[in-house]
Amino acid sequence: MGGTTPERMLDDPRTVRVTGDDTAAVFRRADDADAERRPGDRRDGPVPEAYVWCNLTSGNGTRALWLLLLPFMVVNLAHWMRPTARGRRRTVRLYGLLVRLAGLSLTVLLVAAACEVALDLAAWQCAGTRTCAEGHSWLGFLSPHLTDGGWWSMPGRRLALAAVVPLALTGLLWYLSLRTWNAYEAQQPLVRAPETGEEGSRSALGRPGFWYGRRLVARLRAAHTAAGLLTVAAAVGSAAAREDRRPGGPALLHVLGVLLGAALVTGAAVIVWVVCRRGRSERRLDSAGDVRLVRLLPLSALALLALSLLYAGWERPGWESAGRLPGDATFGALALAQGLLVIVLAVVARVLHRTDPDRRTAMRGLAGPAVAMLACALGGVMSGGVAQRVSDWLDGTGTSIPGPPVLLTWQASVIPPLLVLLLMLCGWLAHRAWQLARAERAAVASDYPGEATDPHRTRRIAYARAMASLTDRGPRIVAVTSAATLLLGAGALFGALATEKTPGEAARGSHAVVHGAAETAQALGSWLIGLGFILFVTWGRRAYKDASARRTIGILWDVGTFWPRAAHPFAPPCYAERAVPDLTWRIATWTASTGGRLVLSGHSQGSVLAAAAAWQLDPATRKRVALLTYGSPLERLYGRWFPAHFGPDALGKLHEEVDCWRNLYRLTDPIGGPIGLPGDCGPAVDRAPLKDPLAYGRTPTHPLPAPILGHSDYQSDPAYTEERHRLLTRLHPELPTPRAPKTPTEPTP
């Protein structure tokens, strides 16, 4: 299995598709297309098949826009980073509830940022100010100064028209989630009848409904869409309600405003209730649709939005826009709520970790809260930076309009000090790599005894090993970055609430160095977010177009989109909800029809899919499967960061349930590593680290300098062929012949 072309995977230019479609399919060599029907004519050796799933995670350049959903993907990852726990069912559910609430806050934050840009900065402030409106002719028809009181110049009608922007954003997120939901979550996994004496796997990935999140994502999509619509309704209606509360205002409109506010609060409470409910069962194939909820919740929110637009657009003589929209406190409340959610989540994660401690778990069980903090920080920085950048564009002088809420300016201003910290961490990593490279030189010399010493060659190999080992420093980097983000975010919130001024204004009158630093951070923050947006899209597009860039960026993206959308429905879709059912169906139907056995071979992320597919098989079929993994992040990344699903118990159980499992890795590989399981249940899993390069200098076998392969080309190593042959011999020495499948053993669709 792999994410490359079938011709390269099978090492043959002539391949045929056995089953599947243009998105994901199983291929064979043309000569092996009907190997089962010609057992006597087959060539020596196994019949290889390649499951090609690259189009699930890559495609045209438009998928680079998925990077804009990065905060949603990151918070969804935090959901699956829960520590292993025993006998803490309620605490586990509380952990998931807190992450889902954090995900909901990110949706509200994104839509609120769009409201800030379109409603507050453009329609309320700029269109309501003569100087700003004159500088932007496209806002002229909204300006009361340039149209002599035109119909659209009333503040409420300006807001109602500008609400099209956040409404379109919410609709786009709903559409993308619905489209990918039909393509990914709708793939039904293999259904099998329980067998007598079957023991459940210790990983939740083996549960029948784990890879079928259709019901949960539909519920969350309805709730998050409704939350976005209600956010727009509140932004439009709150300004009109404040105007109606002034002395002498129309009593009828005041009553309508109170009723509308009560309806919005009730809708928000219903949304929170829906998000707090887990919404599905993994222990069975949950095909319930919750049709009424999925349809009525967004439609009700849309109706409230329509009422808010009508209410705000009602005639109100003498109403003028001044200052900022009455919604500044929203961003402060969101920041405070997110910080409290992360702190409580950290307490819950720590309690879970203490029930079943594992020293290999990243950050002692706090990886989930740390990643959730980074997701909230990404959302805050992106929203604050975009708002500040649009404000600078609309008001070049910085004097005609008040600008965005001061909290957003403070949040954008923390980007420069955060980048300084990241540069310091990079410097520490570089120094650590230099130290490790020096220590590795002696080990390199001992791995190639009898070779003529070449200092340059030794340094290159030692440096490759040192750089690969930096992956294990990832938890420390995430911990420091997350803690600094929490402190900087708290400082930004406190500064905004205490001064009610931008950092530059708050520092005015202080020491020249302090004032200069505040002004510089504020100016750089808005520009850096614009530069970051451009780099985001550029790198994302390159990752989908360029194979070399994909090897660098792709592993992080593959990890992020491997997991089901259990915490946020607007995250990029989970490709494993298509890939894992594909593999289990292929394995189960082939073994049922031929009675044969197979070696499931997976490289890098393919090894994770192989393990997930093996967990989904019934015990009898699983015993017909041997695993061969190489360059595998199963323990090094997944086992440490996702201990509840890939911890030692889960991997050890998988080792017992399959026929045999062998793993290959290199010390120069920054992604793959050993599985680290004992061999008391059969052959040991890990082979000794492969030599990389295969030859130190020029030899008769390698007359040209052998390259340092790192994470690539494991199949070119003789150890791969040797281990595959051992597994095939252990499983069965002969190719199975076709047989008529028995109806009771066929998998149920």
Side-chain angles (χ1 to χ4, degrees):
M1 302 186 302
T4 184
T5 63
E7 292 80 12
R8 184 173 179 182
M9 293 173 66
L10 296 173
D11 195 22
D12 194 318
R14 299 181 305 117
T15 61
V16 294
R17 187 167 67 189
V18 177
T19 181
D21 53 23
D22 293 335
T23 303
V26 174
F27 291 84
R28 277 188 180 183
R29 295 169 176 168
D31 295 339
D32 297 332
D34 57 349
E36 289 91 348
R37 292 190 293 272
R38 300 182 294 104
D41 298 336
R42 67 179 180 88
R43 54 168 174 69
D44 294 334
V47 178
E49 286 187 352
Y51 176 67
V52 181
W53 52 277
C54 55
N55 287 335
L56 289 172
T57 55
S58 62
N60 56 40
T62 58
R63 288 200 179 186
L65 295 177
W66 281 358
L67 285 173
L68 301 178
L69 307 178
L70 184 61
F72 302 156
M73 184 184 77
V74 174
V75 78
N76 192 67
L77 274 179
H79 174 86
W80 300 107
M81 290 181 174
R82 172 181 62 81
T84 304
R86 300 182 187 276
R88 292 278 187 171
R89 187 175 181 180
R90 292 185 178 180
T91 311
V92 168
R93 290 188 174 182
L94 176 61
Y95 181 94
L97 184 151
L98 292 171
V99 178
R100 290 196 297 274
L101 289 177
L104 180 64
S105 72
L106 286 175
T107 297
V108 175
L109 178 61
L110 175 67
V111 179
C115 291
E116 171 60 29
V117 169
L119 275 68
D120 189 10
L121 295 177
W124 182 267
Q125 296 185 31
C126 189
T129 306
R130 175 183 292 274
T131 305
C132 186
E134 289 176 346
H136 301 280
S137 58
W138 54 278
L139 289 175
F141 75 102
L142 297 177
S143 174
H145 307 287
L146 303 182
T147 61
D148 295 327
W151 194 85
W152 284 110
S153 64
M154 290 191 59
R157 293 169 184 168
R158 298 203 308 262
L159 295 177
L161 181 61
V164 172
V165 174
L167 177 60
L169 174 63
T170 305
L172 177 63
L173 293 174
W174 172 84
Y175 171 74
L176 291 177
S177 179
L178 178 65
R179 183 179 178 182
T180 55
W181 177 72
N182 288 324
Y184 290 79
E185 278 87 1
Q187 299 296 323
Q188 184 172 337
L190 184 69
V191 180
R192 58 181 176 84
E195 298 184 9
T196 305
E198 176 183 344
E199 296 182 2
S201 173
R202 295 183 184 178
S203 175
L205 275 70
R207 295 173 182 170
F210 186 88
W211 299 109
Y212 194 63
R214 184 178 179 86
R215 181 184 183 186
L216 176 60
V217 176
R219 288 175 60 89
L220 289 178
R221 182 179 67 247
H224 282 246
T225 302
L229 295 175
L230 291 188
T231 301
V232 181
V236 174
S238 60
R242 184 178 65 170
E243 175 66 16
D244 294 337
R245 286 195 300 267
R246 65 179 176 83
L252 177 59
L253 290 180
H254 175 64
V255 173
L256 291 177
V258 172
L259 293 177
L260 182 62
L264 292 176
V265 172
T266 303
V270 172
I271 291 171
V272 172
W273 174 76
V274 172
V275 171
C276 288
R277 292 187 60 191
R278 191 165 184 268
R280 71 156 179 168
S281 172
E282 294 177 351
R283 301 186 182 279
R284 57 182 175 84
L285 202 61
D286 196 345
S287 57
D290 300 323
V291 178
R292 290 185 179 179
L293 176 66
V294 170
R295 291 180 179 176
L296 291 179
L297 192 58
L299 289 177
S300 301
L302 188 61
L304 286 177
L305 174 58
L307 292 175
S308 298
L309 297 180
L310 290 174
Y311 168 70
W314 204 264
E315 187 79 22
R316 291 178 176 84
W319 186 17
E320 297 180 354
S321 59
R324 299 185 178 95
L325 269 181
D328 291 7
T330 302
F331 294 98
L334 282 173
L336 180 61
Q338 288 176 344
L340 293 177
L341 283 173
V342 169
I343 293 173
V344 176
L345 186 66
V347 174
V348 173
R350 188 60 182 165
V351 170
L352 291 175
H353 178 70
R354 293 181 64 180
T355 62
D356 188 17
D358 179 13
R359 63 181 184 85
R360 297 288 289 170
T361 300
M363 299 173 57
R364 298 184 179 180
L366 296 179
V371 170
M373 182 68 250
L374 294 180
C376 296
L378 280 172
V381 168
M382 290 172 65
S383 59
V386 170
Q388 185 63 48
R389 195 76 209 98
V390 172
S391 177
D392 293 343
W393 170 58
L394 291 174
D395 183 22
T397 61
T399 56
S400 62
I401 61 176
V406 293
L407 176 60
L408 296 185
T409 305
W410 277 86
Q411 289 177 338
S413 301
V414 305
I415 298 177
L418 189 59
L419 286 180
V420 171
L421 174 64
L422 291 177
L423 289 176
M424 294 173 61
L425 290 175
C426 290
W428 173 78
L429 284 177
H431 177 68
R432 185 60 181 160
W434 177 76
Q435 290 180 323
L436 293 172
R438 290 189 62 185
E440 282 289 339
R441 293 177 189 175
V444 171
S446 63
D447 288 343
Y448 299 94
E451 296 279 357
T453 303
D454 181 354
H456 177 69
R457 179 72 161 171
T458 301
R459 281 196 300 269
R460 284 192 59 196
I461 299 173
Y463 181 73
R465 293 184 181 183
M467 291 299 294
S469 68
L470 293 183
T471 302
D472 301 324
R473 274 72 182 174
R476 190 174 303 176
I477 300 297
V478 172
V480 173
T481 305
S482 178
T485 301
L486 180 61
L487 294 177
L488 288 173
L493 180 60
F494 176 78
L497 294 178
T499 65
E500 297 184 353
K501 299 178 181 179
T502 62
E505 294 175 348
R508 189 167 296 161
S510 62
H511 194 277
V513 175
V514 176
H515 182 248
E519 290 282 0
T520 302
Q522 181 176 328
L524 280 178
S526 61
W527 282 102
L528 286 173
I529 196 66
L531 177 62
F533 177 83
I534 295 174
L535 292 178
F536 235 37
V537 176
T538 303
W539 287 349
R541 188 177 180 87
R542 187 184 173 201
Y544 285 112
K545 291 290 186 179
D546 183 20
S548 62
R550 179 167 176 76
R551 280 193 295 270
T552 305
I553 305 174
I555 182 63
L556 298 177
W557 192 254
D558 288 347
V559 172
T561 55
F562 169 79
W563 296 98
R565 295 184 279 193
H568 206 296
F570 297 154
C574 166
Y575 64 88
E577 292 203 287
R578 163 68 191 272
V580 174
D582 281 358
L583 287 168
T584 52
W585 272 99
R586 177 58 178 167
I587 295 171
T589 54
W590 186 84
T591 54
S593 61
T594 66
R597 305 185 180 192
L598 54 87
V599 173
L600 196 56
S601 168
H603 170 247
S604 191
Q605 192 67 15
S607 67
V608 183
L609 289 176
W615 266 312
Q616 284 287 311
L617 298 171
D618 63 85
T621 305
R622 197 179 300 126
K623 272 300 180 184
R624 294 177 174 269
V625 173
L627 285 179
L628 177 57
T629 56
Y630 40 102
S632 173
L634 273 170
E635 196 280 332
R636 193 176 190 182
L637 295 181
Y638 283 84
R640 300 180 191 181
W641 292 91
F642 308 98
H645 302 88
F646 287 95
D649 289 346
L651 295 178
K653 187 69 173 178
L654 179 63
H655 180 211
E656 297 175 7
E657 293 175 344
V658 297
D659 184 87
C660 192
W661 182 5
R662 293 291 284 168
N663 179 66
L664 310 177
Y665 68 99
R666 301 186 181 113
L667 297 179
T668 55
D669 190 342
I671 298 171
I675 304 299
L677 298 179
D680 54 356
C681 298
V685 173
D686 294 312
R687 183 181 173 119
L690 306 183
K691 284 189 175 182
D692 189 28
L694 287 172
Y696 182 85
R698 298 176 185 266
T699 66
T701 308
H702 300 277
L704 299 181
I708 301 175
L709 298 175
H711 187 60
S712 61
D713 291 335
Y714 272 86
Q715 292 181 334
S716 64
D717 195 299
Y720 172 83
T721 305
E722 178 185 339
E723 292 295 340
R724 186 185 65 175
H725 177 73
R726 286 180 58 190
L727 291 176
L728 287 167
T729 303
R730 174 185 172 89
L731 278 170
H732 205 285
E734 299 177 358
L735 184 71
T737 57
R739 68 179 185 182
K742 298 179 181 179
T743 304
T745 60
E746 288 183 344
T748 305

